[in-house]
Amino acid sequence: MSVDKGERRESHVPIGTTVFNDGDVPDHLAEMSADEAALAALGYKQEFKREFSAWTTFAVSFAVMGLLPSIATTMWYGLGYAGPAANTWGWLLSVVFILCVAASMAELASSMPTSGGLYYAAAVLAGPKYGPFAAWITGWSNWFVQVTGAPSVDYGCAAMILAGASIANPEYVPTNYQTFLLTVLIMLMHAVISSMPTLWIANFNSVGTTVNLLCLFIVIIIIPTAVIGDPKFQPNEYAWGIENGTDWPDGIAVLMSFLSIIWTMSGYDASFHLSEECSNASIATPRSIMMTAASGSILGFILNTLIAYTIKDVAEVIDSDLGQPFAAYLIQILPQKVALAVLAMTIICAFSMGQGCMVAASRVCFAYARDDCFGVVSRPLKVVNRYTLTPVNAVWFNTAIGILLLLLIFGGAAIDAIFSIGAIAAYVAFTAPIFLKIVFVGNRFRRGPWHLGAFSLPSGIAACVFIVVMLPILCFPSVTGEDLTLEEMNWTSLVYGAPMLFIIVWFFVDAHKWFKGPKINIEHHMLHQQLVGVEGVDASAGSDTSSKNPKDLDVERGSVTKAPSI
């Protein structure tokens, strides 16, 4: 960068933020809104309409998290591994660390509110030397989460629909191909909705979240009031006790049951990916993340505790011929018509949740394609539809990949792997930039307007320690020794590990030659500082500067190694 000799100095400013340094002036600043200027500081131009508010962004996040359908879909891993303890003190213990992850993520979102989210943050925080690799790993891991999100939720939705049909007609037994076709139909419906204009999607998700919350509260009321049996409620010793359904010691079984909780509490990052469509993003986005995580923690504990106190026989629920534990649980404790009504509300919530997953996944795909993460496929994926102003190509690309993943339905237990990926890959992506911030950046991190203050470091450390402990645990099979067969094997390490190994090899063999991390697609003037890894272009080369000394300013233009404010 060229600056006046009297002002030339080495920059020691903190890393990456939406807040401008003195002298950072985006082009056409007077014509920009505050959100557009903040995005320009990160090197991107405004491409979406900002028609999401804090509430509608929260609506998508809460829909993606989908407490009721998430808990219903993952009962195999919670109750199935550790019994009622997984729903009570197991939930309380795990959400303490999950809230630390969410709070640390919210701090990053306030500083860097872009659709790239965690991927962009990892690139900036790792610096110009390691930034591309950090962004590559974080981005691909997060995309694996997003592309498996809608298929796994829609699979659970389809399974509940067919379980309801089995309850109403005991002679009916769903087949794999029926489950597959119904899941594909639901995914196609979500893809159509996700291709609509932003305001339509925001309104749809706002209504969906309202219905989601209403259904959740209604179910919380129905379960204790309509429960049948004598006694209606289990004693404290049972509700807070461990019923080990694995071959591992009790402590390991409880940790394994965290898969259900981690998968359930992983939708709050959707707010981060929608930040470029949100007004007042540097405040509204972190608030939305924390609103989602906090409300999910509280309401999830209430619902899980009710389940722990009312369930009669855990083994009967897990091994039910219905093939859906939550449906079996409802039939066990409620009159049939009431059970079907609750199941119907859960299905509605699952549909809303799958829609939220599809929207979030398309924004992540677009953001990564914008920086050519997908190689030659990136070009069509980064196109914004001129009629809807939404990334329609990214929506349908994710849908196609999701339908291919659903073929795992015909592989028996292999379909469970898409749930495990949702837990492991999500928290690898969540904590990678948090780890980089606390280990490599430290006090040089320049915070946004929403931050944790003195709690930033303890929160980041707790988040990282939790994930380091949980990563191997989530790969354990439930049985060991002679009982371990191909049918009972936990395929997570293969289904997630093999693609990630390919991604790493691809980077070092070829991708490192052309992938340099987040790109800039806007021009803005950066005065009075030296930006490491940013290519300066003399303004006189592309504009009329006859009245200016060309040494007074440079234009940051099209660099593929952007490292803001280092």
Side-chain angles (χ1 to χ4, degrees), residues 3-39:
V3 297
D4 188 280
K5 293 182 179 180
E7 295 179 335
R8 187 184 302 273
R9 63 183 183 278
E10 182 181 2
S11 174
H12 295 285
V13 297
I15 284 180
T17 183
T18 62
V19 181
F20 288 105
N21 283 331
D22 293 338
D24 295 5
V25 184
D27 281 347
H28 313 297
L29 180 61
E31 304 171 13
M32 293 183 179
S33 68
D35 284 309
E36 290 173 335
L39 190 60

Short mmCIF file of all heavy atoms in Angstrom, two decimals, residues 3-39:
data_model
loop_
_atom_site.label_atom_id
_atom_site.label_comp_id
_atom_site.label_asym_id
_atom_site.label_seq_id
_atom_site.Cartn_x
_atom_site.Cartn_y
_atom_site.Cartn_z
N VAL A 3 1.29 5.05 1.12
CA VAL A 3 0.77 6.05 2.04
C VAL A 3 1.77 7.18 2.13
O VAL A 3 2.91 7.07 1.69
CB VAL A 3 0.55 5.47 3.47
CG1 VAL A 3 -0.50 4.39 3.42
CG2 VAL A 3 1.84 4.92 4.05
N ASP A 4 1.34 8.31 2.65
CA ASP A 4 2.23 9.45 2.84
C ASP A 4 3.39 9.04 3.73
O ASP A 4 3.21 8.37 4.75
CB ASP A 4 1.44 10.60 3.48
CG ASP A 4 2.28 11.85 3.50
OD1 ASP A 4 3.14 11.95 4.40
OD2 ASP A 4 2.06 12.72 2.64
N LYS A 5 4.61 9.41 3.35
CA LYS A 5 5.79 8.97 4.08
C LYS A 5 5.74 9.36 5.54
O LYS A 5 6.24 8.66 6.40
CB LYS A 5 7.06 9.53 3.42
CG LYS A 5 7.33 8.94 2.04
CD LYS A 5 8.61 9.49 1.47
CE LYS A 5 8.91 8.90 0.10
NZ LYS A 5 10.15 9.41 -0.48
N GLY A 6 5.11 10.53 5.81
CA GLY A 6 5.03 10.96 7.20
C GLY A 6 4.10 10.11 8.02
O GLY A 6 4.14 10.15 9.24
N GLU A 7 3.26 9.35 7.34
CA GLU A 7 2.28 8.55 8.07
C GLU A 7 2.57 7.07 7.95
O GLU A 7 1.82 6.26 8.48
CB GLU A 7 0.87 8.84 7.54
CG GLU A 7 0.44 10.25 7.79
CD GLU A 7 -0.95 10.50 7.23
OE1 GLU A 7 -1.34 9.79 6.29
OE2 GLU A 7 -1.64 11.39 7.73
N ARG A 8 3.64 6.69 7.23
CA ARG A 8 3.94 5.27 7.05
C ARG A 8 4.37 4.67 8.38
O ARG A 8 5.24 5.17 9.07
CB ARG A 8 5.06 5.10 6.02
CG ARG A 8 5.31 3.64 5.66
CD ARG A 8 6.51 3.53 4.73
NE ARG A 8 6.33 4.28 3.52
CZ ARG A 8 5.73 3.80 2.44
NH1 ARG A 8 5.23 2.60 2.45
NH2 ARG A 8 5.63 4.56 1.37
N ARG A 9 3.74 3.59 8.76
CA ARG A 9 4.09 2.92 9.99
C ARG A 9 3.62 1.47 9.91
O ARG A 9 2.73 1.13 9.16
CB ARG A 9 3.44 3.60 11.20
CG ARG A 9 1.92 3.56 11.18
CD ARG A 9 1.37 4.31 12.38
NE ARG A 9 -0.07 4.25 12.45
CZ ARG A 9 -0.91 5.02 11.79
NH1 ARG A 9 -0.45 5.93 10.95
NH2 ARG A 9 -2.23 4.88 11.92
N GLU A 10 4.16 0.62 10.73
CA GLU A 10 3.73 -0.77 10.79
C GLU A 10 2.43 -0.84 11.58
O GLU A 10 2.28 -0.21 12.62
CB GLU A 10 4.81 -1.61 11.48
CG GLU A 10 4.45 -3.10 11.54
CD GLU A 10 5.52 -3.89 12.24
OE1 GLU A 10 6.51 -3.28 12.69
OE2 GLU A 10 5.35 -5.11 12.35
N SER A 11 1.50 -1.62 11.06
CA SER A 11 0.19 -1.72 11.73
C SER A 11 0.22 -2.83 12.77
O SER A 11 0.68 -3.92 12.54
CB SER A 11 -0.91 -2.01 10.71
OG SER A 11 -2.13 -2.24 11.36
N HIS A 12 -0.27 -2.49 13.96
CA HIS A 12 -0.41 -3.49 15.01
C HIS A 12 -1.86 -3.59 15.45
O HIS A 12 -2.15 -3.92 16.58
CB HIS A 12 0.46 -3.12 16.22
CG HIS A 12 1.93 -3.15 15.92
ND1 HIS A 12 2.63 -4.31 15.80
CD2 HIS A 12 2.81 -2.14 15.68
CE1 HIS A 12 3.91 -4.04 15.54
NE2 HIS A 12 4.04 -2.74 15.45
N VAL A 13 -2.77 -3.28 14.55
CA VAL A 13 -4.18 -3.30 14.91
C VAL A 13 -4.65 -4.74 15.07
O VAL A 13 -4.08 -5.65 14.50
CB VAL A 13 -5.04 -2.60 13.84
CG1 VAL A 13 -4.66 -1.16 13.76
CG2 VAL A 13 -4.89 -3.28 12.49
N PRO A 14 -5.69 -4.93 15.86
CA PRO A 14 -6.21 -6.28 16.03
C PRO A 14 -6.77 -6.84 14.73
O PRO A 14 -6.99 -6.13 13.77
CB PRO A 14 -7.32 -6.09 17.08
CG PRO A 14 -6.99 -4.80 17.76
CD PRO A 14 -6.35 -3.96 16.72
N ILE A 15 -7.06 -8.15 14.78
CA ILE A 15 -7.49 -8.87 13.58
C ILE A 15 -8.98 -8.76 13.37
O ILE A 15 -9.76 -8.80 14.29
CB ILE A 15 -7.07 -10.35 13.70
CG1 ILE A 15 -5.57 -10.46 13.44
CG2 ILE A 15 -7.82 -11.23 12.72
CD1 ILE A 15 -5.05 -11.86 13.54
N GLY A 16 -9.37 -8.67 12.08
CA GLY A 16 -10.69 -8.79 11.54
C GLY A 16 -11.89 -8.30 12.34
O GLY A 16 -12.10 -8.71 13.44
N THR A 17 -12.66 -7.42 11.77
CA THR A 17 -13.86 -6.91 12.42
C THR A 17 -14.73 -6.19 11.42
O THR A 17 -14.31 -5.95 10.30
CB THR A 17 -13.49 -5.92 13.54
OG1 THR A 17 -14.68 -5.50 14.20
CG2 THR A 17 -12.78 -4.73 13.02
N THR A 18 -15.92 -5.85 11.81
CA THR A 18 -16.76 -5.00 10.98
C THR A 18 -16.49 -3.54 11.27
O THR A 18 -16.98 -2.66 10.59
CB THR A 18 -18.25 -5.25 11.26
OG1 THR A 18 -18.51 -4.93 12.61
CG2 THR A 18 -18.62 -6.69 11.01
N VAL A 19 -15.72 -3.26 12.31
CA VAL A 19 -15.43 -1.89 12.70
C VAL A 19 -14.22 -1.40 11.92
O VAL A 19 -13.19 -2.04 11.93
CB VAL A 19 -15.15 -1.80 14.22
CG1 VAL A 19 -14.90 -0.37 14.61
CG2 VAL A 19 -16.31 -2.39 15.00
N PHE A 20 -14.35 -0.27 11.25
CA PHE A 20 -13.24 0.25 10.44
C PHE A 20 -12.11 0.76 11.32
O PHE A 20 -12.33 1.35 12.37
CB PHE A 20 -13.72 1.41 9.57
CG PHE A 20 -14.60 0.99 8.44
CD1 PHE A 20 -15.97 1.21 8.50
CD2 PHE A 20 -14.06 0.39 7.33
CE1 PHE A 20 -16.78 0.85 7.45
CE2 PHE A 20 -14.87 0.02 6.27
CZ PHE A 20 -16.23 0.24 6.33
N ASN A 21 -10.88 0.57 10.83
CA ASN A 21 -9.75 1.28 11.41
C ASN A 21 -9.80 2.72 10.94
O ASN A 21 -10.44 3.05 9.95
CB ASN A 21 -8.42 0.67 10.91
CG ASN A 21 -8.11 -0.62 11.62
OD1 ASN A 21 -8.50 -0.82 12.76
ND2 ASN A 21 -7.41 -1.51 10.91
N ASP A 22 -9.08 3.59 11.61
CA ASP A 22 -8.97 4.97 11.15
C ASP A 22 -8.37 4.97 9.74
O ASP A 22 -7.32 4.40 9.50
CB ASP A 22 -8.08 5.78 12.09
CG ASP A 22 -8.71 5.94 13.46
OD1 ASP A 22 -9.96 5.81 13.54
OD2 ASP A 22 -7.97 6.20 14.42
N GLY A 23 -9.07 5.62 8.83
CA GLY A 23 -8.55 5.70 7.47
C GLY A 23 -9.08 4.66 6.52
O GLY A 23 -8.79 4.72 5.34
N ASP A 24 -9.86 3.65 7.02
CA ASP A 24 -10.46 2.66 6.14
C ASP A 24 -11.73 3.27 5.56
O ASP A 24 -12.68 3.53 6.29
CB ASP A 24 -10.84 1.39 6.89
CG ASP A 24 -9.62 0.66 7.43
OD1 ASP A 24 -8.52 1.20 7.30
OD2 ASP A 24 -9.80 -0.44 7.97
N VAL A 25 -11.75 3.48 4.25
CA VAL A 25 -12.90 4.15 3.65
C VAL A 25 -13.39 3.34 2.46
O VAL A 25 -12.75 3.32 1.42
CB VAL A 25 -12.53 5.57 3.17
CG1 VAL A 25 -13.77 6.28 2.65
CG2 VAL A 25 -11.88 6.36 4.30
N PRO A 26 -14.53 2.62 2.57
CA PRO A 26 -15.06 1.92 1.41
C PRO A 26 -15.47 2.91 0.33
O PRO A 26 -15.88 4.04 0.62
CB PRO A 26 -16.30 1.20 1.96
CG PRO A 26 -16.12 1.18 3.44
CD PRO A 26 -15.34 2.41 3.77
N ASP A 27 -15.38 2.48 -0.92
CA ASP A 27 -15.88 3.31 -2.01
C ASP A 27 -17.37 3.56 -1.82
O ASP A 27 -18.11 2.70 -1.37
CB ASP A 27 -15.67 2.58 -3.35
CG ASP A 27 -14.23 2.71 -3.83
OD1 ASP A 27 -13.51 3.55 -3.26
OD2 ASP A 27 -13.85 1.96 -4.74
N HIS A 28 -17.82 4.74 -2.20
CA HIS A 28 -19.24 5.09 -2.16
C HIS A 28 -19.83 4.95 -0.77
O HIS A 28 -20.98 4.54 -0.61
CB HIS A 28 -20.03 4.25 -3.16
CG HIS A 28 -19.41 4.17 -4.52
ND1 HIS A 28 -19.23 5.29 -5.32
CD2 HIS A 28 -18.90 3.12 -5.21
CE1 HIS A 28 -18.64 4.92 -6.46
NE2 HIS A 28 -18.44 3.61 -6.41
N LEU A 29 -19.05 5.28 0.25
CA LEU A 29 -19.51 5.11 1.62
C LEU A 29 -20.80 5.87 1.89
O LEU A 29 -21.69 5.39 2.58
CB LEU A 29 -18.41 5.57 2.59
CG LEU A 29 -18.73 5.46 4.09
CD1 LEU A 29 -18.98 4.01 4.46
CD2 LEU A 29 -17.58 6.03 4.92
N ALA A 30 -20.91 7.07 1.32
CA ALA A 30 -22.09 7.89 1.57
C ALA A 30 -23.36 7.24 1.05
O ALA A 30 -24.45 7.51 1.53
CB ALA A 30 -21.91 9.27 0.94
N GLU A 31 -23.22 6.34 0.06
CA GLU A 31 -24.38 5.69 -0.53
C GLU A 31 -24.73 4.39 0.18
O GLU A 31 -25.74 3.77 -0.15
CB GLU A 31 -24.10 5.41 -2.01
CG GLU A 31 -23.75 6.65 -2.81
CD GLU A 31 -23.26 6.29 -4.21
OE1 GLU A 31 -23.44 5.12 -4.61
OE2 GLU A 31 -22.72 7.17 -4.89
N MET A 32 -23.91 3.96 1.14
CA MET A 32 -24.11 2.67 1.79
C MET A 32 -24.90 2.80 3.08
O MET A 32 -24.79 3.80 3.79
CB MET A 32 -22.76 2.01 2.13
CG MET A 32 -21.94 1.59 0.93
SD MET A 32 -20.42 0.76 1.47
CE MET A 32 -19.69 0.36 -0.10
N SER A 33 -25.67 1.74 3.39
CA SER A 33 -26.27 1.64 4.72
C SER A 33 -25.18 1.18 5.69
O SER A 33 -24.08 0.80 5.28
CB SER A 33 -27.41 0.63 4.71
OG SER A 33 -26.90 -0.68 4.51
N ALA A 34 -25.48 1.22 6.97
CA ALA A 34 -24.50 0.79 7.98
C ALA A 34 -24.12 -0.67 7.77
O ALA A 34 -22.95 -1.05 7.90
CB ALA A 34 -25.07 1.00 9.38
N ASP A 35 -25.09 -1.51 7.43
CA ASP A 35 -24.80 -2.92 7.20
C ASP A 35 -23.94 -3.12 5.96
O ASP A 35 -23.02 -3.95 5.96
CB ASP A 35 -26.10 -3.71 7.04
CG ASP A 35 -26.80 -3.95 8.37
OD1 ASP A 35 -26.14 -4.42 9.30
OD2 ASP A 35 -28.00 -3.65 8.47
N GLU A 36 -24.20 -2.38 4.91
CA GLU A 36 -23.41 -2.49 3.69
C GLU A 36 -21.97 -2.05 3.94
O GLU A 36 -21.02 -2.66 3.44
CB GLU A 36 -24.04 -1.66 2.58
CG GLU A 36 -25.34 -2.23 2.05
CD GLU A 36 -26.03 -1.31 1.06
OE1 GLU A 36 -25.80 -0.09 1.13
OE2 GLU A 36 -26.80 -1.81 0.23
N ALA A 37 -21.81 -0.97 4.71
CA ALA A 37 -20.46 -0.49 5.02
C ALA A 37 -19.70 -1.50 5.87
O ALA A 37 -18.51 -1.73 5.67
CB ALA A 37 -20.55 0.86 5.75
N ALA A 38 -20.40 -2.13 6.83
CA ALA A 38 -19.76 -3.15 7.66
C ALA A 38 -19.33 -4.33 6.82
O ALA A 38 -18.23 -4.88 7.00
CB ALA A 38 -20.72 -3.61 8.76
N LEU A 39 -20.17 -4.75 5.87
CA LEU A 39 -19.82 -5.86 5.00
C LEU A 39 -18.67 -5.47 4.08
O LEU A 39 -17.78 -6.28 3.79
CB LEU A 39 -21.04 -6.27 4.18
CG LEU A 39 -20.93 -7.56 3.37
CD1 LEU A 39 -20.66 -8.75 4.29
CD2 LEU A 39 -22.20 -7.80 2.57
#
